[in-house]
Amino acid sequence: MNHTRFLTAVSAARQPSPIRAMTDLLMRSPPSVISLAGGAPNPDTFPFKSASITLNNGTAIEIGETLMKKALQYSATPGVPELVSWLKELQKKLHNPPTLTYSPDKGQMAMCVTTGSQEGLSKVFDMLVSPGDNVLIDAPTYSGTLAAVKPLGCNLIGVPTDQHGIIPQALKEILSRWRPEDVALPEKKAPKILYTIPNGGNPTGASLTTERKTEIYKIAQEYDFLIVEDDPYYFLQFSKPWAPSFLSMDIDGRVIRADSMSKILSSGLRIGYLTGPKPLIDRVVLHMQASTLHTSAFTQIMILQLLQQWGVEGFLKHVDSVIQFYRTQRDAMIASADKWLTGLAEWHSPTAGMFLWMKIHGVPDTHQLIMLKAISKEVLLVPGSAFNIDSSEPSSYVRASFSLSTPEQIDQGLERLASLIIAERK
Ligand code: PLP
């Protein structure tokens, strides 16, 4: 696949930063190499010496003096190499992408560590979206994505979804405005990307089925567009086997996948990773060379020490315990919704993630109800309009999160919501 036609003028114009290239080289050099090259500060002058971080299971990860110097120093832009290798093993085990190989020269697929998936995604949009482009996107969708894409001056085309995510037939209908041969004609503005959240969607809680993903991938091949797979709730799929990802189906090199450690290791440490065709990941890395330089090396080393101690099996065991927690929370929220909201609202029980998406009966726009009345009743929710492409468009939906509150608080919160809806409808 030739990825050149997908790039914005800005992305195509990016050149490597010579000093950054030197840092990457130094990271891979043996200790005998004498570097008079880089502008790296001397870590002996830094005030931090070592760290011991206690884990919930009582063990600890140690960052000794030598490792601490590495953690406090500038590092390679695509990520600390040992962490990238660990994550590649993980991707291979979970997705076995048809085009992922381990040689940076031969492989078509590449990875880089990002400061949360949000950094990776916003750089992916900067790389691919030019003013006037048509961009296909789940409707409704994550407000952080809308914040990253809207200012790029593109035309967002919302693809209708249900509890199983994007409806392939609806996607086909949208694309029937173009003929597949229009793809070769830039003036026809056939969509070049589809952005989707495949599991436990934010805000809808929807998860795409394998059949739908296969169908959507075929449509992407027919109309030659890229799929941006934003999957921070992948590890929060409540039942096994987990659905195969778009990445696992990607025989062409048209999928860019954003993963996140935010929901399973820490949201504040800011760790995510992109996996995708090497020519595209390389462009994101060039953008990072000119902006963040790299994700915090301390964060990466801390995570790496943990992952090396756990191994992939230990990591997946931890993920299982997180799933257990969210599944119980989901069950508590559904039980309370059944108790208080039956007849007042409708919903589907999510199979992944941390959100319940409810359609409120008899309230065509939930904005006032949630932003004024619910707040004064001391229950916080998000009105559906926050996730509309045009946020001034009314929505009868509400997003409730079951991540932070106890089952008792969830029960009280939904009881308060029920009384608000009853008062509103009088
Ligand atoms: N994408 C979606 C769909 C999200 O829900 C979130 C966070 O809530 C993100 C991306 C950003 O996650 P991160 O913390 O990895 O930047």
Side-chain angles (χ1 to χ4, degrees):
M1 228 178 120
N2 183 354
H3 296 91
T4 316
R5 80 169 182 91
F6 294 99
L7 302 180
T8 62
V10 173
S11 184
R14 291 192 186 282
Q15 294 288 330
S17 146
I19 290 183
R20 281 278 90 204
M22 193 70 82
T23 308
D24 293 1
L25 183 67
L26 192 64
M27 291 285 298
R28 286 183 269 117
S29 303
S32 54
V33 169
I34 297 169
S35 172
L36 304 176
N42 192 318
D44 291 339
T45 64
F46 295 158
F48 308 99
K49 198 167 175 181
S50 63
S52 174
I53 297 158
T54 313
L55 304 183
N56 276 335
N57 65 8
T59 63
I61 47 176
E62 305 294 340
I63 302 180
E65 286 184 38
T66 309
L67 193 56
M68 192 64 160
K69 281 186 183 154
K70 196 169 160 185
L72 296 175
Q73 189 55 279
Y74 287 125
S75 184
T77 303
V80 168
E82 296 87 343
L83 180 60
V84 177
S85 301
W86 199 98
L87 293 171
K88 272 194 179 163
E89 285 299 324
L90 182 70
Q91 291 307 64
K92 188 155 193 288
K93 183 175 166 68
L94 297 176
H95 307 285
N96 200 14
T99 49
L100 182 70
T101 72
Y102 290 87
S103 156
D105 306 320
K106 285 194 223 136
Q108 282 188 293
M109 206 49 107
M111 290 187 70
C112 70
V113 175
T114 56
T115 302
S117 57
Q118 184 81 24
E119 186 210 8
L121 288 163
S122 78
K123 286 187 163 57
V124 165
F125 296 133
D126 286 350
M127 167 175 70
L128 299 175
V129 180
S130 300
D133 278 358
N134 285 307
V135 172
L136 301 162
I137 193 159
D138 293 345
T141 198
Y142 169 52
S143 43
T145 296
L146 292 173
V149 188
K150 276 176 142 185
L152 300 177
C154 57
N155 175 38
L156 289 176
I157 304 178
V159 186
T161 58
D162 60 17
Q163 77 268 30
H164 304 300
I166 286 176
I167 304 164
Q169 192 51 38
L171 177 60
K172 276 188 191 158
E173 268 160 39
I174 290 170
L175 286 162
S176 67
R177 289 185 222 165
W178 292 273
R179 297 165 307 159
E181 50 275 28
D182 287 345
V183 166
L185 308 168
E187 68 279 10
K188 297 278 184 186
K189 299 266 177 219
K192 290 191 294 186
I193 66 169
L194 165 72
Y195 165 87
T196 187
I197 306 167
N199 292 297
N202 186 355
T204 61
S207 296
L208 275 169
T209 59
T210 307
E211 294 69 34
R212 283 197 183 184
K213 278 185 191 158
T214 310
E215 211 174 326
I216 292 166
Y217 190 82
K218 276 201 196 116
I219 300 170
Q221 287 183 305
E222 190 186 353
Y223 282 88
D224 195 25
F225 57 77
L226 303 177
I227 298 173
V228 179
E229 175 173 51
D230 177 14
D231 207 356
Y233 305 100
Y234 173 78
F235 293 113
L236 299 189
Q237 294 181 70
F238 303 138
S239 338
K240 295 254 176 67
W242 289 342
S245 61
F246 280 113
L247 180 68
S248 74
M249 304 173 177
D250 189 18
I251 50 175
D252 301 335
R254 64 176 69 253
V255 174
I256 307 175
R257 179 180 167 83
D259 276 286
S260 173
M261 292 295 190
S262 286
K263 320 297 169 181
I264 43 170
L265 295 186
S266 157
S267 40
L269 283 177
R270 312 302 302 129
I271 282 271
Y273 43 104
L274 287 177
T275 311
K278 182 165 159 42
L280 296 180
I281 299 295
D282 284 352
R283 291 278 124 194
V284 170
V285 170
L286 289 183
H287 191 173
M288 288 164 74
Q289 285 189 1
S291 55
T292 51
L293 302 187
H294 56 77
T295 294
S296 159
F298 184 81
T299 288
Q300 292 189 65
I301 296 277
M302 180 174 158
I303 297 270
L304 175 67
Q305 289 300 97
L306 177 71
L307 294 176
Q308 283 183 337
Q309 192 183 97
W310 275 351
V312 169
E313 291 310 316
F315 169 73
L316 292 176
K317 217 172 123 209
H318 167 74
V319 166
D320 277 343
S321 69
V322 180
I323 290 174
Q324 185 88 18
F325 170 80
Y326 283 105
R327 196 197 293 118
T328 308
Q329 291 285 105
R330 186 267 322 257
D331 291 346
M333 184 166 270
I334 295 293
S336 295
D338 285 344
K339 181 165 139 199
W340 299 112
L341 295 167
T342 300
L344 300 176
E346 62 184 76
W347 58 86
H348 294 280
S349 179
T351 56
M354 46 177 69
F355 304 116
L356 182 64
W357 184 236
M358 293 179 282
K359 183 174 184 176
I360 311 295
H361 294 161
V363 183
D365 188 6
T366 56
H367 189 265
Q368 292 275 0
L369 179 77
I370 299 304
M371 298 313 287
L372 292 175
K373 296 175 188 165
I375 291 175
S376 68
K377 268 244 176 189
E378 295 193 304
V379 54
L380 302 183
L381 296 138
V382 186
S385 54
F387 308 97
N388 280 344
I389 291 172
D390 173 2
S391 60
S392 65
E393 219 174 81
S395 167
S396 55
Y397 285 85
V398 162
R399 189 192 80 178
S401 163
F402 46 84
S403 55
L404 268 185
S405 309
T406 63
E408 294 71 32
Q409 290 170 325
I410 288 174
D411 197 59
Q412 266 186 18
L414 293 192
E415 182 185 6
R416 288 177 197 176
L417 175 64
S419 64
L420 284 162
I421 298 169
I422 291 166
E424 185 81 3
R425 299 200 314 184
K426 269 190 187 146

